[in-house]
Amino acid sequence: MRPRIELRRGAAAELMKSDGVKADLERRARLIAAAAGPGHRVEVEVGRNRARAAVITDTIPAMIAEGRDRNLSRALDAGRG
Amino acid sequence: MADVILFPDAERVLIVHLNSLLTEPVSLTVPNPRPAAFIVVRRVGGPRRDLVTDHPMLTVEAWAGGPTAAKALLERARGEIFAMRGTVVDGVAIYGITETGGPAFLPDPDSTQPRYTCTLQVAMRGAASHSTPDDGGGSS
């Protein structure tokens, strides 16, 4: 017998804003920031529809490193694990 | 025996393709001497998607005489890359394009030349190179 999946209205949005998703996003963002090197900060926030995390170049050297060598872009894969 | 799958040189695939379509030079590094307008394509990561599909993440950077021209050049390259979907380029099957980062003005710290950039993932098929010899293991 095939499993039956019922989606509860609003459950997906609830899930996307949950503490678990928030923690997972923060963990991934911190991995990316660590791989990118010094000068990157992580911001996590819960928006209207979902939680989100950002890795931000926080110093002039980090901004230059992204502009010249793509330090932060090349670190994105670190967040896949 | 297991097949060894080799993936195409993603930067080369895009560079060859864009050079065949655009008049501005497309390369892996900033050319020397520096042209008035040019494009650089660089792989910045991207994992293997499955056994035979690579999913490289590539940044495309367009430099030109002014921000508007740089943006226009990037848009042409971006459009040509999206049009690669479902085609075979230089012997490589292109399955799909995903945009990771849309066009952005990213000032070049090493020059005053305006630069626009975007980041895309291009799904490309690999090919079996050879098979590994049997290790003689088997089930115990």
Side-chain angles (χ1 to χ4, degrees):
Chain A
M1 191 175 130
R2 283 187 173 181
R4 180 178 160 82
I5 297 171
E6 280 184 35
L7 291 178
R8 185 161 52 85
R9 193 176 178 84
E14 213 174 279
L15 182 67
M16 287 196 295
K17 292 193 282 188
S18 67
D19 287 345
V21 167
K22 202 174 135 190
D24 184 57
L25 290 175
E26 180 169 357
R27 180 185 65 82
R28 291 170 189 272
R30 292 204 180 284
L31 288 170
I32 294 168
H40 297 85
R41 74 171 195 277
V42 170
E43 282 186 6
V44 184
E45 60 178 14
V46 178
R48 201 174 66 166
N49 298 316
R50 69 186 71 190
R52 40 181 183 255
V55 182
I56 298 160
T57 49
D58 203 28
T59 63
I60 298 295
M63 291 173 196
I64 291 172
E66 171 62 7
R68 185 178 289 141
D69 300 320
R70 296 297 189 165
N71 264 25
L72 181 53
S73 299
R74 286 188 285 112
L76 278 178
D77 279 347
R80 294 185 196 276
Chain B
M1 303 269 281
D3 285 336
V4 174
I5 309 292
L6 295 184
F7 293 112
D9 180 338
E11 290 155 329
R12 185 182 175 280
V13 170
L14 258 69
I15 289 168
V16 167
H17 184 63
L18 292 175
N19 269 321
S20 72
L21 298 164
L22 304 176
T23 50
E24 294 80 359
V26 184
S27 55
L28 186 60
T29 56
V30 174
N32 185 12
R34 198 182 185 93
F38 62 96
I39 289 174
V40 165
V41 176
R42 286 194 281 180
R43 183 168 185 165
V44 293
R48 186 179 78 159
R49 195 172 75 181
D50 55 41
L51 185 65
V52 293
T53 313
D54 199 13
H55 210 204
M57 188 187 300
L58 299 134
T59 62
V60 181
E61 303 176 310
W63 281 265
T68 305
K71 185 167 23 176
L73 180 57
L74 181 76
E75 283 298 348
R76 276 171 40 219
R78 187 177 173 226
E80 297 294 355
I81 293 167
F82 273 111
M84 292 167 74
R85 182 177 184 273
T87 66
V88 176
V89 176
D90 204 25
V92 176
I94 308 295
Y95 291 142
I97 322 292
T98 313
E99 193 157 56
T100 308
F105 183 52
L106 185 66
D108 178 1
D110 293 326
S111 76
T112 55
Q113 201 172 9
R115 172 178 63 172
Y116 264 82
T117 177
C118 69
T119 304
L120 305 139
Q121 283 192 269
V122 183
M124 300 180 179
R125 187 177 177 86
S129 164
H130 61 279
S131 297
T132 57
D134 193 340
D135 64 3
S139 59
S140 54

